[in-house]
Amino acid sequence: MTQRETWKTRARRLKTELVALSIAYRDPRTPWYAKVVAACVVGYALSPLDLIPDPIPVLGYLDDLILLPLGVALAIRLIPRQVLEDARTAARDPERPRAPANRVAAAAIVLVWLALAAITVWLVMRFV
């Protein structure tokens, strides 16, 4: 297996895990704290805004290469094994219905980022 195929396989696996997490955090058997972590990880993965903007050389992709896999790993550890197995099976099912775009979740993500930006500006203005 070439290096390129390895990266493609890992990217495909990460995508499947993110879909499985999005299914698992809606499962009633998932504890609330695991739901919070899984929702944050999926939200961050789908968010158009990054913690470190991608145009910044090297550091721009660092959050995607480190933070996202760490978040996925943490969420996987918190979700009960049977729930995660069921979610992975559902995520791999080619005939599963695709979730419609959730505009409320998108709006919530944008509002959180705007709030964080406003708090940052306020702190900078206050202490500078």
Side-chain angles (χ1 to χ4, degrees):
M1 185 177 282
T2 67
Q3 187 69 20
R4 185 174 184 175
E5 290 171 346
T6 303
W7 282 104
K8 283 184 179 181
T9 303
R10 288 180 183 169
R12 203 172 302 121
R13 191 176 321 135
L14 181 61
K15 181 180 176 185
T16 302
E17 289 296 323
L18 286 170
V19 173
L21 288 178
S22 71
I23 293 168
Y25 87 82
R26 287 178 270 163
D27 192 303
R29 299 174 292 171
T30 303
W32 68 269
Y33 51 88
K35 287 183 181 192
V36 170
V37 172
C40 288
V41 169
V42 172
Y44 183 76
L46 299 176
S47 173
L49 304 173
D50 283 344
L51 189 60
I52 304 170
D54 289 342
I56 297 174
V58 180
L59 293 177
Y61 293 107
L62 198 59
D63 63 336
D64 296 330
L65 293 174
I66 294 175
L67 292 180
L68 193 57
L70 286 176
V72 169
L74 176 62
I76 286 171
R77 291 179 64 84
L78 295 175
I79 295 173
R81 180 168 287 147
Q82 186 59 46
V83 174
L84 192 57
E85 288 176 13
D86 294 346
R88 284 177 175 153
T89 301
R92 288 187 202 107
D93 182 10
E95 295 184 18
R96 80 176 162 81
R98 301 289 182 222
N102 190 339
R103 298 191 194 297
V104 174
I109 290 168
V110 169
L111 286 175
V112 166
W113 281 107
L114 289 174
L116 288 172
I119 291 169
T120 302
V121 168
W122 178 78
L123 288 171
V124 167
M125 297 300 286
R126 182 166 182 198
F127 294 109
V128 172

